[in-house]
Amino acid sequence: MSEARTYVVLLGVPGAGKGTQAKLLEQSTGLPQVSTGDIFRYNLKNQTELGKLAKSYMDKGDLVPDDVTIRMVEDRLQQPDCARGAIMDGFPRNLVQAAAFDKVTAPFGGVRVVPLINVEDDETIRRITGRRSCRTCGAVYHVTLNPPKVEGICDVDGGELYQRDDDKEETVRNRLFVYYKQTSPLIGYYFAKGVLAEVDGSRSINEVQQALMALMG
Ligand code: ADP
Ligand code: AMP
Ligand code: ZN
């Protein structure tokens, strides 16, 4: 086996707080956040071939095909900043992706821990519908629950805040459906491997972060 790496997989419904927590974990552990949603949005913005392919799926709230997604993640994990591992945010999202991720991580000790961030559905909807994202750096805010210092402007880099197209109610409903149908089986999958750790995600951003840090060992 090669030298062990720390691969963390954040699980939870859309809006549970995975991206928010992944960014904070990145700051405190130095492990990079790997967000497949962010990578797809970057490609969309820059109108790459990958972005053009992903768009129709993202617009509907469906999953982008596995072969494309898995290849994209494999490439990302080979970048030098992932040499000690990564905080996975939004990947894997179904059992095929989970099996592929096991293959990639096996030489480095496999997946270390899978925090499941638990939030009630009505709170999730409240969080998603009020979410605002920075156009330039991807930082995430909420109009009331986690507002920026100046309305509409990112604290980090002054970028413009916008509402993601797929955060509109119609698409949100399909994204939740896709989560329950395709992603939630991963809970059992990782439980059986002994790496699942449930976290109460209904608490404040700080409290959830502390619970996650305690799991990092
Ligand atoms: P995910 O990546 O799981 O889709 P995000 O991290 O983007 O979720 O969070 C969704 C929304 O909820 C954002 O607007 C974020 O600011 C807000 N949020 C995240 N965590 C909390 C929390 N613990 N309490 C209140 N609001 C939160
Ligand atoms: P997210 O930013 O995680 O909410 O993801 C936004 C959208 O990107 C999803 O609704 C999917 O269309 C796509 N996406 C993100 N991650 C994946 C993945 N692992 N597999 C397939 N599609 C994904
Ligand atoms: Zn920003």
Side-chain angles (χ1 to χ4, degrees):
M1 197 176 85
S2 314
E3 201 172 323
R5 294 182 178 179
T6 305
Y7 290 107
V8 178
V9 172
L10 296 181
L11 272 190
V13 289
K18 299 181 297 297
T20 301
Q21 295 299 333
K23 284 201 166 58
L24 293 170
L25 282 178
E26 178 175 86
Q27 284 166 22
S28 46
T29 66
L31 295 167
Q33 170 196 21
V34 172
S35 160
T36 40
D38 281 355
I39 302 174
F40 283 132
R41 277 184 290 279
Y42 176 85
N43 279 277
L44 217 71
K45 194 172 83 178
N46 291 290
Q47 299 185 354
T48 66
E49 285 306 311
L50 178 61
K52 285 178 201 159
L53 186 149
K55 184 175 173 12
S56 59
Y57 299 96
M58 295 177 77
D59 282 349
K60 283 190 267 190
D62 289 336
L63 297 186
V64 178
D66 289 335
D67 53 345
V68 175
T69 306
I70 289 166
R71 216 174 317 126
M72 180 179 90
V73 170
E74 284 171 352
D75 284 352
R76 178 67 189 92
L77 292 176
Q78 279 170 19
Q79 305 287 311
D81 63 321
C82 295
R84 292 197 304 115
I87 314 283
M88 306 305 295
D89 163 16
F91 182 94
R93 232 165 164 115
N94 61 27
L95 290 167
V96 172
Q97 294 181 9
F101 193 56
D102 276 349
K103 245 191 212 160
V104 171
T105 57
F108 309 104
V111 174
R112 175 82 60 89
V113 63
V114 180
L116 168 62
I117 305 178
N118 280 315
V119 176
E120 301 279 342
D121 280 349
D122 53 355
E123 172 67 7
T124 289
I125 304 264
R126 192 159 75 108
R127 287 186 186 180
I128 296 190
T129 48
R131 169 161 58 191
R132 296 293 181 272
S133 312
C134 175
R135 260 193 215 287
T136 43
C137 79
V140 174
Y141 301 86
H142 188 283
V143 285
T144 53
L145 303 171
N146 181 30
K149 293 197 179 82
V150 181
E151 196 187 322
I153 305 284
C154 176
D155 292 350
V156 182
D157 63 354
E160 180 203 356
L161 301 186
Y162 77 109
Q163 182 175 34
R164 282 167 47 178
D165 282 344
D166 63 348
D167 279 351
K168 310 272 158 69
E169 200 182 328
E170 192 55 33
T171 320
V172 169
R173 228 175 291 134
N174 188 47
R175 285 164 63 208
L176 286 175
F177 177 73
V178 167
Y179 172 83
Y180 284 114
K181 197 167 166 198
Q182 301 198 50
T183 309
S184 67
L186 298 189
I187 298 170
Y189 181 86
Y190 286 121
F191 176 79
K193 286 179 177 287
V195 289
L196 190 79
E198 296 201 45
V199 171
D200 175 4
S202 68
R203 297 171 291 172
S204 72
I205 291 173
N206 265 339
E207 286 170 313
V208 177
Q209 178 64 194
Q210 278 167 28
L212 290 175
M213 280 307 288
L215 294 175
M216 295 297 292

